[in-house]
Amino acid sequence: MPACIPDDPDYCFWPAPDGDGEPAQIRILVEGFAFAIPTALVALSHADGLALCERLNRRLGHRDRGSWTAFAARCLRAGACGMNGSTLH
């Protein structure tokens, strides 16, 4: 499924949880997309992933964790019918 990123997208970084004990991959959630964009970034723990995403998202204008986690939840809910947080490669 090809997708075009808008000229001025709203997005955030999100630490995708892995149920197999693997390091959490940092993914990018773009508003309006039904999938997450994978990155090469990983965090060794969920807490490390949250801290890393918090720093990255602060630069995007999300002043606190509540701001970007609410945005991520909206993106994940919007894509839940097709991906539930998974990535498209």
Side-chain angles (χ1 to χ4, degrees), residues 21-24 42-49:
E22 294 291 320
V42 294
L44 297 180
S45 71
H46 185 65
D48 289 344

Side-chain angles (χ1 to χ4, degrees), residues 5 11 18 27 32 34 48 51 53 63 67-68 78 86:
I5 296 178
Y11 65 97
D18 187 351
R27 299 180 185 172
D48 289 344
C53 288
R63 303 230 183 267
S67 170
W68 69 264
S86 64

Side-chain angles (χ1 to χ4, degrees), residues 5-6 8-12 28-32 60 62 71 74-75:
I5 296 178
D8 191 19
D10 288 327
Y11 65 97
C12 74
I28 302 169
L29 297 173
V30 179
E31 191 167 46
L60 300 175
H62 297 285
F71 179 84
R74 274 197 321 272
C75 290

Side-chain angles (χ1 to χ4, degrees), residues 17-86:
D18 187 351
D20 297 332
E22 294 291 320
Q25 180 186 44
I26 306 303
R27 299 180 185 172
I28 302 169
L29 297 173
V30 179
E31 191 167 46
F33 280 18
F35 56 89
I37 301 169
T39 72
L41 300 170
V42 294
L44 297 180
S45 71
H46 185 65
D48 289 344
L50 287 172
L52 173 60
C53 288
E54 194 163 285
R55 287 194 314 266
L56 294 170
N57 289 324
R58 193 174 307 124
R59 299 287 300 190
L60 300 175
H62 297 285
R63 303 230 183 267
D64 58 23
R65 186 175 292 177
S67 170
W68 69 264
T69 54
F71 179 84
R74 274 197 321 272
C75 290
L76 292 169
R77 273 195 305 275
C81 60
M83 65 112 179
N84 230 2
S86 64

